[in-house]
Amino acid sequence: DQQVKQNSPSLSVQEGRISILNCDYTNSMFDYFLWYKKYPAEGPTFLISISSIKDKNEDGRFTVFLNKSAKHLSLHIVPSQPGDSAVYFCAARRGSNYKLTFGKGTLLTVNP
Amino acid sequence: DADVTQTPRNRITKTGKRIMLECSQTKGHDRMYWYRQDPGLGLRLIYYSFDVKDINKGEISDGYSVSRQAQAKFSLSLESAIPNQTALYFCATSDGPVETQYFGPGTRLLVL
């Protein structure tokens, strides 16, 4: 049973435009959500996170929105840059258990 | 120097062979993790350790074993490698309360 779902395997956007990556989850016990970015031949790196008590968190060009009622979160990148081209993983944590459950990832391509 | 290192970075082995993947970290974190990444399946947790004396199975631990030799070292072993263990393996560390996990660069394993 896949508890964290990223239904879009890939996304292509033009440089300067907004990139929106989506993530859905099924476990209402998840209380913390994270986005990781992964370049080829490298390990994933932490990008941004949000607690379930918030609905928005912003860090520079990156904003994560959380809709608990819909069990949906999204990552907005504005403006998108070619260097943002990578695989983005959504992850979720449940309570004090420090394990993360990851989605399958979305490959973002930002075209110059 | 990298905070989380993995050796080897690439390995080719044959079915039935024993192989060990090693992970070292200089971040001083207590928690360490082993994941595997397969195309289209995202990151799946194999084993995790919250301290030297605490080791736990993840969602796909069958066919794997681990050893936490010290706070800084966490090894993953495949006792008898099989082809469907061909994957990209990542080690990660974390420290509470923020559940950001820091990943190593990965080990690409091919089992023939």
Side-chain angles (χ1 to χ4, degrees):
Chain A
D1 178 29
Q2 191 182 354
Q3 298 186 65
V4 178
K5 302 178 184 179
Q6 294 177 256
N7 292 319
S8 297
S10 63
L11 174 68
S12 182
V13 300
Q14 285 299 119
E15 181 178 5
R17 308 293 285 266
I18 185 172
S19 295
I20 300 176
L21 295 94
N22 294 304
C23 179
D24 296 294
Y25 61 96
T26 58
N27 191 335
S28 58
M29 300 299 290
F30 287 142
D31 64 350
Y32 200 78
F33 303 89
L34 305 91
W35 285 94
Y36 281 80
K37 178 170 69 174
K38 184 185 180 302
Y39 292 118
E42 295 183 11
T45 56
F46 169 73
L47 186 59
I48 192 169
S49 62
I50 188 168
S51 165
S52 61
I53 63 174
K54 297 185 176 181
D55 56 16
K56 177 182 175 181
N57 188 28
E58 197 170 351
D59 184 2
R61 297 186 296 114
F62 303 92
T63 303
V64 57
F65 295 92
L66 175 62
N67 183 334
K68 286 181 62 179
S69 62
K71 295 189 176 66
H72 176 84
L73 62 155
S74 60
L75 174 68
H76 293 211
I77 306 174
V78 182
S80 301
Q81 299 174 353
D84 295 330
S85 297
V87 176
Y88 289 78
F89 290 101
C90 172
R93 185 202 75 179
R94 184 183 69 175
S96 60
N97 183 323
Y98 289 99
K99 295 186 295 181
L100 295 179
T101 301
F102 285 86
K104 294 182 179 182
T106 297
L107 173 63
L108 172 65
T109 302
V110 180
N111 301 302
Chain B
D1 289 338
D3 295 318
V4 184
T5 58
Q6 293 183 234
T7 56
R9 292 295 312 277
N10 294 280
R11 181 70 182 268
I12 300 173
T13 191
K14 294 182 178 180
T15 297
K17 294 290 187 180
R18 184 179 187 276
I19 183 170
M20 178 181 288
L21 309 182
E22 299 188 350
C23 176
S24 295
Q25 54 116 344
T26 59
K27 300 189 75 65
H29 290 168
D30 287 327
R31 301 179 183 91
M32 298 187 73
Y33 311 79
W34 275 104
Y35 293 90
R36 66 177 277 176
Q37 183 189 8
D38 298 275
L41 291 179
L43 291 158
R44 293 183 293 167
L45 183 64
I46 306 172
Y47 269 95
Y48 61 103
S49 170
F50 285 173
D51 63 41
V52 175
K53 297 181 180 180
D54 179 67
I55 293 179
N56 305 278
K57 293 182 178 180
E59 55 184 307
I60 53 165
S61 59
D62 287 349
Y64 300 95
S65 63
V66 291
S67 172
R68 185 80 184 266
Q69 301 95 322
Q71 185 205 37
K73 296 183 181 295
F74 193 34
S75 300
L76 176 72
S77 293
L78 286 68
E79 298 300 326
S80 180
I82 56 177
N84 77 359
Q85 290 177 314
T86 292
L88 189 53
Y89 289 85
F90 289 103
C91 173
T93 73
S94 72
D95 198 7
V98 175
E99 274 317 299
T100 304
Q101 292 188 12
Y102 298 87
F103 286 80
T107 294
R108 189 170 296 277
L109 176 66
L110 173 61
V111 182
L112 300 174

